[in-house]
């Protein structure tokens, strides 16, 4: 692990944060690299910067964009801005949560999906808004988001019927809600 | 145009380059503006741009007609938007399959593609030219107008329209005192929320004797429902940068920082590119244009904390610490970033600076009110017909914005209230529609200007639920330092949640009002001090709605889940089974072609059945 923290330098060409001193900027780099903040890196960074682990974690947990757990391969984000809220954003998030079998902030057991909500993405004309892997999907409703996620699941699980069946079996045992949904998909094939 | 390669070292070089670019632009008046803002991109404008490019090449038009992927063109509701210049023909909801026709008909034959025109919902009339659409006609677009003409990734576009002339004239003939005097005369007030006079901030900082001072652009646009700062940074980043450089000159700063929230990756990318361009051209760096003035700018990306919009918390965040506000004084002008004098201005405030300097304060302040000059950009969203960004002179009434520009309420519903000022603001009812949009007037009415979010609410919005939403937001975002904010907001949230569940009493309601007053009076920073506003303003204007929830156990708007029920009207239901198939919890039963039934014990009230039924048989009680 040595040198992990030492290798982190701010690229001055990006005119990004002065002197590489900002801890927030360093943590952002760590997260970009690992997609979360692994404990061993936080420990090493604390050591190299002369901070206590507590000080390190106080920054890492204060800001919403930092994750202390690995994120899924696919990120699903529901916007919870005011415009989204008054047009049913909360129901959309609930439906997402139900379909994926995870709460906002969590990652599915198979490491495929993470679900998050954000305060506002500033694309209020699209309200209610859901972002899947960086693609914006506007004018969502509980029913439309169900169709969208179904389609995404089908795309991502574009494997053989046999493998898919096996996976559904596993998911059903683990009580995952998307199992039922996928089972529905298989029946219709 | 050697300067584009080598950078400029003197003022005449800047003037010369601007002249040349202007001339070049005059020869290239034919272009298509394809909106590249987030909204239109979500509807596929990136692909539209690609197909246009190909189509123009195929027809051999690529040398005659330019293609600009612009910032927000305003009328997000009609996205993807394409405007054909020089005529200004406005095409809405353009699909990839429409492009060949636009090129064939409009560009080659000069004809209009009728079906892509905007249709006025009130008169039914089709409108050809963008400036004639009521949404635009009633605005005064000073900051946003250039979004139509500028490719945000091109500094040449900005220079050709006279960009950086204001900075040039500052360097040529003005000193700090003069610049601050102009800003004072212009009556510009900070657009971030509180409306503090900009000149006063600048003067305080400029009077500090220090070797190092900083100016920070606050692009931590955290108010949900507001996106004008994002659109300015994405649509015309150089205008913000020019304002920041002039501000740096006025206060005597040698470094500027742009603090952008992490949720705006495109804005971060655009402003970074703008910085590199300005550096390459010699508009940033050491001894700029041989004037002796040196100024550098860097970008600092936030990490997701609403409270960092508060200036002292913002400084803590830029320094890489936990973004907690601190007690003021000492003010930031005394002790800010790295303990040096610092001034913080909002994105929109800075975007106003170049036009004040170029036009002169006297001309600038003709727009606006007696106490605050200029225009304000509002993001008009929610249940309004024309969602989008609206720029109007300060002082225009709420009614003009919502009805004349916004086209009224979506779907023929009744107007109920407008929420302004984000979580710190409040809700104003129909009786306040003639209120002018002015910092002081809105505050007196129990709301505030905030950064300019304007969320329109109709009869189907529950005000108690909205108060709950904002309390939840603020409770999540409270940094937890002050006891009254940390505990007060969470107790208030509990109380309001109880009301939405029909589990409260009028005695508890009285306690809620008392607690709201305590939180307002006893917290340190703006988040807590204004945290009770959503509750207080909804109680002030919609007390009856609270009473009905508490005493009658009803939610008149049909939003609060514990107080509503879904049922199927057996006379209208033909047993098609669509709702039964879609119901995620299998709460609907019934034989095919026979009326269905919702089992209340299983129903989660998600509303999917109501949305699915084509026979209006599902009803909400």
């Amino acid at each position: 692990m040595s040198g992990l923290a030492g290798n982190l330098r701010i690229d001055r060409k990006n005119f990004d944060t002065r002197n590489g001193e900002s801890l927030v900027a360093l943590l952002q780099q760590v997260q970009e690299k690992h997609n979360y903040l692994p404990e061993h890196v936080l420990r090493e960074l604390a050591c190299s910067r002369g901070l206590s682990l507590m000080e390190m974690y106080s920054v890492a947990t204060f800001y919403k964009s930092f994750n202390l757990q690995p994120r899924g391969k696919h990120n699903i984000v529901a916007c919870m801005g005011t415009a989204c809220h008054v047009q049913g954003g909360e129901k959309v998030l609930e439906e997402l949560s139900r379909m994926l079998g995870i709460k906002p902030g969590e990652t599915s057991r198979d490491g495929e999906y993470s679900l998050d909500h954000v305060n506002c993405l500033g694309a209020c004309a699209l309200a209610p808004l859901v972002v899947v892997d960086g693609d914006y999907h506007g004018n969502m409703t509980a029913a439309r988001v169900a169709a969208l996620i179904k389609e995404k699941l089908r795309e991502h699980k574009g494997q053989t019927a046999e493998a898919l069946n096996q996976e559904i079996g596993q998911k059903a045992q683990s009580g995952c809600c998307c199992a039922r949904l996928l089972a529905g998909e298989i029946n219709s094939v | 145009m050697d300067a584009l390669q080598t950078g400029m070292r003197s003022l005449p070089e800047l003037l010369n380059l601007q002249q040349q670019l202007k001339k070049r632009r005059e020869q290239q008046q034919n272009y298509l503006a394809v909106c590249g803002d987030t909204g239109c991109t979500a509807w596929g404008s990136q692909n539209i741009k690609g197909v246009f490019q190909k189509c123009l090449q195929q027809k051999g038009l690529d040398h005659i007609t330019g293609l600009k992927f612009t910032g927000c063109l305003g009328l997000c509701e009609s996205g993807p938007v394409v405007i054909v210049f020089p005529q200004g023909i406005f095409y809405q909801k353009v699909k990839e399959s429409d492009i060949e026709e636009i090129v064939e008909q409009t560009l080659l034959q000069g004809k209009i593609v009728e079906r892509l025109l905007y249709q006025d919902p009130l008169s039914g009339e089709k409108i050809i030219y963008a400036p004639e659409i009521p949404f635009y006609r009633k605005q005064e677009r000073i900051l946003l107008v250039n979004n139509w003409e500028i490719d945000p990734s091109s500094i040449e576009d900005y220079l050709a329209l006279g960009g950086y002339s204001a900075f040039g004239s500052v360097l040529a003939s003005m000193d700090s005192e003069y610049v601050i005097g102009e800003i004072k005369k212009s009556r510009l007030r900070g657009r971030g929320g509180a409306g503090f006079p900009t000149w006063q901030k600048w003067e305080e900082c400029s009077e500090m004797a220090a070797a190092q001072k900083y100016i920070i652009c606050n692009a931590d646009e955290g108010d949900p429902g507001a996106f004008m700062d994002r659109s300015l940074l994405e649509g015309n980043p150089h205008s913000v940068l020019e304002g920041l450089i002039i501000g740096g000159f006025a206060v005597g700063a040698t470094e500027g920082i742009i603090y952008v929230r992490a949720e705006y990756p495109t804005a971060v990318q655009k402003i970074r590119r703008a910085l590199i361009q300005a550096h390459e051209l010699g508009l940033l760096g050491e001894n700029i244009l041989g004037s002796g003035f040196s100024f550098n700018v860097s970008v600092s990306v936030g990490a997701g904390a609403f409270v960092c919009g508060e200036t002292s918390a913002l400084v803590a965040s830029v320094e890489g610490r936990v973004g907690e506000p601190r007690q003021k004084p000492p003010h930031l002008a005394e002790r800010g970033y790295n303990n040096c004098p610092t001034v913080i201005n909002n994105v929109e405030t800075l975007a106003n600076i170049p036009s004040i300097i170029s036009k002169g304060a006297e001309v600038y302040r003709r727009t606006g009110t007696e106490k605050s000059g200029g225009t304000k950009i509002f993001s008009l969203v929610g249940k309004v017909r024309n969602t989008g960004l609206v720029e109007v002179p300060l002082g225009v009434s709420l009614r003009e914005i919502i009805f004349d520009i916004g086209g009224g309420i979506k779907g023929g519903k009744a107007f109920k209230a407008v929420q302004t000022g984000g979580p710190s603001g409040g809700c104003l009812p129909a009786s306040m529609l003639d209120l002018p949009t002015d910092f002081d007037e809105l505050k007196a009415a129990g709301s505030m200007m905030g950064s300019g979010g304007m969320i329109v609410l109709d009869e189907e919005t529950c005000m108690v639920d909205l108060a709950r939403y904002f309390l939840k937001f603020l409770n999540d975002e409270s940094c937890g330092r002050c006891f009254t904010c940390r505990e007060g907001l969470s107790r208030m949230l509990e109380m309001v949640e109880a009301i939405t569940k029909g589990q409260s009493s009028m005695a508890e309601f009285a306690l809620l009002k008392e607690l709201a007053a305590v939180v307002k009076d006893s917290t340190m920073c703006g988040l807590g001090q204004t945290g009770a506003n959503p509750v207080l303003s909804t109680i002030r204007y919609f007390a009856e709605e609270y009473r009905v929830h508490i005493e009658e156990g009803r939610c008149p708007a049909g939003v609060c889940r514990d107080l509503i029920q879904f049922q199927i009207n057996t006379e209208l239901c033909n047993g098609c089974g669509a709702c039964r198939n879609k119901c995620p919890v299998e709460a609907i039963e019934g034989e095919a072609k026979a009326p269905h039934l919702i089992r209340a014990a299983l129903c989660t009230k998600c509303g999917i059945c109501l949305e699915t039924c084509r026979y209006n048989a599902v009803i909400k009680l």
Side-chain angles (χ1 to χ4, degrees):
Chain A
M1 309 287 162
S2 69
L4 239 180
N7 285 339
L8 289 166
R9 285 253 170 69
I10 304 290
D11 182 4
R12 291 285 288 166
K13 271 197 208 129
N14 266 338
F15 304 102
D16 209 349
T17 315
R18 51 216 21 74
N19 314 326
E21 290 297 315
S22 159
L23 179 59
V24 171
L26 283 177
L27 292 180
Q28 282 167 337
Q29 287 203 345
V30 173
Q31 178 147 304
E32 203 168 299
K33 190 168 167 187
H34 298 270
N35 110 20
Y36 76 112
L37 302 178
E39 187 184 327
H40 68 268
V41 180
L42 289 183
R43 282 182 184 277
E44 200 180 331
L45 263 177
C47 217
S48 70
R49 294 177 67 95
L51 292 172
S52 71
L53 200 58
M54 190 202 77
E55 288 169 302
M56 204 68 197
Y57 270 85
S58 82
V59 173
T61 54
F62 180 82
Y63 293 100
K64 282 214 179 67
S65 65
F66 293 134
N67 302 306
L68 296 174
Q69 299 296 326
R71 307 301 290 156
K73 274 189 224 153
H74 302 289
N75 279 308
I76 299 167
V77 180
C79 181
M80 290 287 116
T82 320
C84 290
H85 175 80
V86 299
Q87 295 178 88
E90 220 161 73
K91 284 181 183 166
V92 171
L93 178 64
E94 268 169 40
E95 183 58 15
L96 279 171
S97 176
R98 194 193 60 75
M99 291 186 77
L100 297 166
I102 47 176
K103 291 196 195 95
E106 290 182 351
T107 301
S108 64
R109 251 180 266 182
D110 58 7
E112 285 287 317
Y113 301 97
S114 289
L115 178 62
D116 274 307
H117 58 88
V118 290
N119 287 341
C120 183
L121 287 163
C124 308
L126 301 169
L129 172 66
V130 170
V131 183
V132 182
D133 291 337
D135 290 336
Y136 286 57
H137 301 271
N139 292 356
M140 279 293 139
T141 61
R144 277 185 218 154
V145 86
L148 173 75
I149 294 303
K150 251 182 183 177
E151 191 192 308
K152 291 287 162 192
L153 283 173
R154 196 178 346 184
E155 263 174 37
H156 297 156
K157 308 277 175 195
Q159 63 245 78
T160 62
E162 200 182 325
L164 195 51
N165 266 331
Q166 210 174 359
E167 193 171 335
I168 292 160
Q170 284 165 4
K171 285 220 166 129
Q173 276 170 10
S174 69
C176 176
C177 288
C178 44
R180 223 194 62 203
L181 178 93
L182 283 164
E185 285 299 306
I186 285 295
N187 290 341
S188 65
V189 166
Chain B
M1 292 186 217
D2 296 340
L4 285 176
Q5 277 91 47
T6 58
M8 301 174 290
R9 288 189 198 88
S10 67
L11 270 171
E13 275 182 80
L14 172 64
L15 294 175
N16 185 24
L17 180 65
Q18 281 171 331
Q19 283 305 323
Q20 289 181 52
L21 289 168
K22 202 175 162 194
K23 231 179 262 167
R24 189 170 84 180
R25 192 183 169 93
E26 276 160 11
Q27 289 155 8
Q28 294 174 341
Q29 297 215 340
N30 299 335
Y31 67 93
L32 296 161
V34 179
C35 181
D37 196 70
T38 315
C40 286
T41 312
W43 301 130
S45 67
Q46 185 92 41
N47 289 345
I48 287 175
K49 180 193 126 201
V51 177
F52 260 124
Q53 226 157 13
K54 229 189 248 165
C55 197
L56 290 175
Q57 270 167 9
Q58 278 168 1
K59 311 258 175 201
L61 288 171
D62 50 334
H63 297 295
I64 305 163
T65 305
L67 186 63
K68 290 186 199 298
F69 202 46
T70 68
C72 183
L73 295 174
L75 191 50
C76 307
E77 193 68 35
S78 297
V81 170
V82 175
I83 308 184
V84 184
F85 285 99
Q87 307 94 317
I89 301 164
F90 184 93
Y91 288 136
Q92 64 162 3
K93 298 184 178 159
V94 177
K95 292 188 287 296
E96 285 176 45
S97 53
D98 298 324
I99 291 170
E100 176 123 12
E101 197 177 342
I102 294 178
V103 172
E104 198 63 50
Q105 296 287 319
T106 307
L107 297 186
L108 287 172
Q109 301 179 38
K111 289 182 190 158
I112 305 291
V113 184
E114 285 264 341
R115 64 186 165 81
L116 296 174
L117 292 178
Y118 175 87
Q119 188 170 16
D120 184 15
L122 301 175
S123 64
E125 181 199 353
K126 290 214 166 184
I127 301 170
I128 301 174
Y129 304 107
E132 289 172 12
I133 295 173
F135 176 81
Y136 294 113
R137 203 173 58 216
K138 299 197 172 145
Q139 295 186 47
E140 189 167 335
R141 294 163 72 90
I142 296 172
L143 303 176
L144 290 173
V145 71
N146 284 346
N147 274 19
W148 293 11
E149 306 180 28
I150 281 181
D151 176 347
S153 60
S154 157
I155 193 172
E156 288 97 322
D157 271 2
Y158 185 66
L159 285 164
L161 292 173
Y164 289 105
S165 317
F167 176 48
S169 43
V170 165
L171 287 185
S173 58
M174 296 178 197
D175 60 5
S176 156
E177 207 179 319
Y178 184 88
V179 173
I180 295 174
E182 280 293 287
I183 304 303
K184 184 177 182 179
K185 267 193 271 171
S186 75
R187 298 182 187 136
L188 175 68
R189 292 172 68 173
R191 302 293 194 241
F196 196 74
T198 305
W199 70 269
Q200 227 168 315
K201 271 191 186 180
W202 285 14
E203 190 174 74
E204 260 175 58
C205 191
S206 76
E207 281 169 356
M208 292 290 156
Q212 181 73 58
K213 296 184 201 174
Y214 294 94
I215 180 165
I216 300 181
C217 168
N218 183 352
D220 191 46
E221 185 173 50
D223 282 2
F227 59 102
M228 64 291 299
D229 292 349
R230 176 180 67 70
S231 287
L232 280 171
L233 281 176
E234 291 181 10
N236 196 354
H238 283 287
S239 68
V240 181
L241 184 57
E242 188 180 359
L244 183 71
I245 302 173
I246 295 172
F249 176 88
V251 303
T254 53
E255 267 200 71
I257 299 166
I258 300 172
Y259 183 81
V260 198
R261 68 195 284 251
E263 289 86 345
Y264 289 173
T266 315
V268 173
Q269 183 207 336
K270 297 248 163 95
I271 193 72
R272 276 196 179 135
R273 187 197 278 247
L275 288 182
I276 293 171
Q277 291 169 337
H279 259 280
E280 284 172 354
L281 272 185
L283 292 163
L284 281 175
E286 305 304 309
N287 188 17
I288 299 169
L289 303 178
S291 65
F293 171 60
S294 300
F295 192 70
N296 280 298
V297 178
S298 59
V299 174
S300 179
V301 181
F306 175 71
V307 72
C308 290
E310 198 278 342
T311 50
S312 64
L314 188 151
V315 165
S317 179
V318 179
E319 288 172 353
R321 295 183 287 118
V322 166
E324 270 182 6
R326 66 157 170 80
Q327 195 66 260
K328 286 184 270 189
H331 288 288
L332 296 175
E334 256 172 88
R335 200 188 303 161
Y337 179 66
N338 279 347
N339 290 325
C340 297
T342 302
V343 63
I344 301 186
N345 293 120
N346 161 270
V347 171
E348 193 184 336
T349 313
L350 291 172
N352 271 289
I353 304 292
S355 73
I356 296 174
I357 300 291
S358 301
K359 285 189 217 165
E362 290 296 335
V363 176
Y364 177 86
R365 76 173 188 195
R366 281 183 210 151
T367 308
T369 65
E370 187 57 35
K371 282 186 184 162
S372 23
T375 57
K376 175 81 194 84
I377 307 176
F378 291 98
S379 63
L380 189 60
V381 299
K383 312 277 185 86
V384 67
R385 213 176 250 146
N386 298 331
T387 304
L389 281 188
V390 172
E391 184 179 352
V392 286
L394 278 160
V396 159
S397 75
L398 291 167
R399 187 186 301 280
E400 284 171 83
I401 298 178
I402 297 164
F403 288 90
D404 297 350
I405 297 172
I409 309 300
K410 253 184 214 170
K413 301 261 166 54
F415 172 87
K416 184 168 188 178
V418 56
Q419 204 282 339
T420 67
S424 308
C427 298
L428 301 169
S431 60
M432 307 295 278
L433 272 173
D434 291 309
L435 198 73
T437 47
D438 172 84
F439 293 98
D440 308 315
E441 298 265 3
L442 286 173
K443 202 169 173 188
S447 186
M448 65 187 277
M449 181 82 89
S451 57
M454 198 172 268
I455 296 108
V456 179
L457 312 169
D458 69 2
E459 54 194 298
E460 289 182 349
T461 312
C462 170
M463 304 314 283
V464 185
D465 175 72
L466 193 69
R468 178 190 65 83
Y469 162 80
F470 281 119
L471 277 176
K472 189 166 177 295
F473 180 96
L474 292 167
N475 187 45
D476 286 348
E477 295 293 342
S478 169
C479 77
R481 187 166 176 179
C482 301
F483 167 76
T484 42
C485 176
R486 184 181 70 233
E487 291 301 322
L489 288 176
S490 73
R491 295 292 85 80
M492 279 164 70
L493 175 60
E494 275 173 17
M495 287 172 169
V496 174
E497 271 176 350
I499 297 175
T500 62
K501 288 179 179 159
Q503 297 167 349
S504 187
S505 66
M506 289 310 275
E508 218 172 284
F509 183 50
L511 200 61
L512 171 69
K513 287 191 263 187
E514 195 185 324
L515 181 56
V518 171
V519 172
K520 191 170 185 167
D521 289 340
S522 55
T523 49
M524 189 179 72
C525 84
L527 186 146
Q529 284 163 10
T530 57
N533 276 0
V535 173
L536 290 172
S537 78
T538 47
I539 292 178
R540 179 167 166 186
Y541 296 113
F542 301 93
E544 175 61 12
E545 203 167 331
Y546 277 88
R547 193 198 61 75
V548 172
H549 277 75
I550 297 166
E551 291 193 333
E552 297 175 21
R554 271 193 313 120
C555 174
V559 173
C560 296
R561 243 179 237 210
D562 292 284
L563 307 179
I564 56 167
Q565 270 186 19
F566 285 90
Q567 279 182 8
I568 292 175
N569 181 341
T570 46
E571 282 174 21
L572 292 174
C573 176
N574 65 4
C576 74
C579 62
R580 191 188 57 216
N581 291 341
K582 285 272 171 74
C583 177
V585 290
E586 296 177 5
I588 302 177
E589 55 189 33
E591 298 295 319
K593 294 184 181 168
H596 285 28
L597 178 81
I598 297 175
R599 289 169 64 190
L602 293 177
C603 176
T604 58
K605 298 165 190 175
C606 69
I608 291 181
C609 52
L610 181 74
E611 198 188 320
T612 308
C613 182
R614 280 181 290 152
Y615 307 97
N616 297 324
V618 179
I619 40 175
K620 192 160 65 171
L621 295 174

